[in-house]
Amino acid sequence: MPKKSTDRLARYIPTVQLFSARLGLFHQKVAEQVGLTSTEFKCFRLLEKLGPLSMTALSREVGLKIGTVSGLIDKLEATGFVVRQRDETDKRRLVLVACPEASARATRLYEEQSEPVSAILDSYSEPEFNLLLTFLTDLGNIFARTSPPSRKEPHPEQASTHSGEKP
């Protein structure tokens, strides 16, 4: 008989993969509405939720090289989503801050989903709802601390050549 956690993980994985794919595509559509890529929009949302961050801290949070993040921030700054400010505690250091006007604009993009999402959330008891929040927080913290392996999987069309020979 399989362990309970093994059974739950086997049931969880396909559900979360489908959810993740749909959520990722949804966020891509939202980002496109404001002229950003999904990654740019996610960097903005992280700055919104985590507060002012240095370029280095944001780079670590998103798992991208500092040069890549610098390019993202340049675009976010040019489009009015982010500003660079002097750190309140260390005036030599710059931090990235999400612009409140852009936050309000981004929040409006989700208004269409607020009613059906609220209906689902209202269907849960308070303990069930708190459990959902705890689960999402714990899972998010795991993802923030880990990253997928750096090796690249072969493209499906290339997977058939195992010997290194050209097709």
Side-chain angles (χ1 to χ4, degrees), residues 65-78:
K65 293 181 180 173
I66 195 97
T68 302
V69 172
S70 180
L72 292 172
I73 295 305
D74 288 346
K75 182 171 178 185
L76 289 172
E77 192 173 36

Side-chain angles (χ1 to χ4, degrees), residues 19-79:
F19 171 78
S20 178
R22 287 177 171 165
L23 184 63
L25 291 169
F26 170 75
H27 283 139
Q28 183 177 329
K29 291 174 194 170
V30 169
E32 287 171 357
Q33 290 181 32
V34 292
L36 300 176
T37 67
S38 183
T39 301
E40 291 162 347
F41 192 68
K42 286 298 179 190
C43 285
F44 163 70
R45 296 302 273 195
L46 283 169
L47 287 170
E48 230 182 354
K49 303 305 175 198
L50 298 176
L53 294 175
S54 69
M55 188 83 71
T56 302
L58 181 61
S59 176
R60 276 194 301 264
E61 182 69 32
V62 298
L64 296 172
K65 293 181 180 173
I66 195 97
T68 302
V69 172
S70 180
L72 292 172
I73 295 305
D74 288 346
K75 182 171 178 185
L76 289 172
E77 192 173 36
T79 55

